[in-house]
Amino acid sequence: MRVLVVEDEKGIAEFLKDGLEEESFAVDVALEGRSGLRMAEVNDYDLILLDWMLPGISGIELCRQLRKSKSLTPIIFLTAKDTAQDAVFGLESGANDYIRKPFEFEELLARIRVQLRPKDSEDSVLKLGSIELNPDTHQVFKGSKEVLLTQKEFALLEFLIRNKGKVCTRTRIIEHVWDIHFEADTSVIDVYINFLRKKLDEAGSGKSFIHTVRGAGYIAREE
Ligand code: CA
């Protein structure tokens, strides 16, 4: 899952980037409003953390413009404002949630998880056949057996399961699993797919949860 952080206080921006990367998110940072808006328009983010007071254009204005352009990306406001009226104002501009500074990282993470929760589910656990992936605990189980994955493997599997039954092109995978600094060629994805297959598939069965779609990309299917 790829997150855009729009925050002009460098220390906070870095704290958020580091913390979220530890949780397997790919994170881009914009330090002012206009570049934040541009990045949000160009890239397909899964979620945006948006500071309220920003140089360039304010978080409120940025949020309004994104919603005007029909973007549905979940937006969480980071705000130092603390009157109920301001909160209402923020939500009316199209944000999905807000959190007051200073906040605990764990609290923010919980709010993020709620926004990314699958629409038809009470909890955050993602399922693909006998595979269960829990974004909250970072655990992956196949049946009753825990499968240990690196952060990138975890992020890639999470993206594939969230899109199960749909073809995931290498371009889309890169957009959602890697951040803006990704420059290597897309064959790195094939390498990670192989790591996942080795860890998840029954050795020697010839069956895989992750199928190659020739010339297009990959698809995760329950089989
Ligand atoms: Ca600010």
Side-chain angles (χ1 to χ4, degrees):
M1 299 283 103
R2 187 167 169 198
V3 175
L4 173 64
V5 174
V6 190
E7 165 64 80
D8 60 315
E9 281 170 71
K10 243 183 162 170
I12 298 178
E14 272 162 25
F15 164 75
L16 291 172
K17 181 171 168 68
D18 291 348
L20 290 169
E21 282 177 348
E22 274 172 27
E23 297 291 327
S24 298
F25 289 95
V27 184
D28 294 337
V29 172
L31 294 171
E32 52 92 36
R34 274 181 225 290
S35 57
L37 179 59
R38 208 161 42 237
M39 287 164 79
E41 284 170 343
V42 171
N43 303 306
D44 186 13
Y45 291 102
D46 297 293
L47 185 126
I48 298 172
L49 296 179
L50 185 55
D51 186 27
W52 183 293
M53 307 285 276
L54 289 165
I57 56 171
S58 73
I60 287 281
E61 187 53 32
L62 198 164
C63 184
R64 281 211 190 104
Q65 294 211 18
L66 276 185
R67 292 302 184 237
K68 222 163 70 186
S69 65
K70 302 278 182 273
S71 162
L72 297 173
T73 307
I75 294 175
I76 300 179
F77 264 119
L78 312 171
T79 175
K81 295 179 176 276
D82 59 358
T83 68
Q85 211 182 349
D86 286 329
V88 169
F89 188 55
L91 295 176
E92 277 178 353
S93 74
N96 300 72
D97 198 1
Y98 65 95
I99 188 164
R100 290 193 186 111
K101 294 177 182 175
F103 50 80
E104 299 280 336
F105 185 74
E106 287 303 312
E107 167 68 15
L108 176 65
L109 201 55
R111 305 283 187 96
I112 291 174
R113 299 287 187 216
V114 168
Q115 295 301 328
L116 296 179
R117 196 175 276 172
K119 301 272 176 288
D120 53 353
S121 172
E122 283 295 294
D123 61 24
S124 322
V125 175
L126 303 167
K127 296 189 180 106
L128 176 75
S130 59
I131 298 171
E132 287 196 3
L133 180 148
N134 188 332
D136 298 342
T137 62
H138 268 241
Q139 284 176 303
V140 174
F141 284 90
K142 189 176 175 206
S144 56
K145 204 170 132 243
E146 184 167 4
V147 183
L148 298 176
L149 300 181
T150 65
Q151 282 185 2
K152 266 297 173 248
E153 289 165 359
F154 185 92
L156 177 57
L157 183 64
E158 179 178 358
F159 182 72
L160 288 169
I161 298 183
R162 281 182 187 275
N163 292 281
K164 65 185 172 188
K166 293 185 222 159
V167 175
C168 299
T169 63
R170 289 181 180 79
T171 310
R172 278 192 69 221
I173 291 174
I174 282 178
E175 255 207 340
H176 290 269
V177 179
W178 274 268
D179 64 29
I180 208 164
H181 302 296
F182 180 87
E183 282 174 27
D185 70 296
T186 56
S187 63
V188 69
I189 293 170
D190 307 337
V191 174
Y192 277 97
I193 291 280
N194 278 333
F195 290 155
L196 279 181
R197 281 176 172 156
K198 275 200 188 111
K199 290 186 177 181
L200 293 170
D201 295 340
E202 223 68 67
S205 75
K207 285 191 205 148
S208 181
F209 289 94
I210 305 166
H211 303 260
T212 305
V213 183
R214 230 163 269 291
Y218 295 98
I219 185 166
R221 267 196 226 118
E222 303 191 350
E223 282 178 12

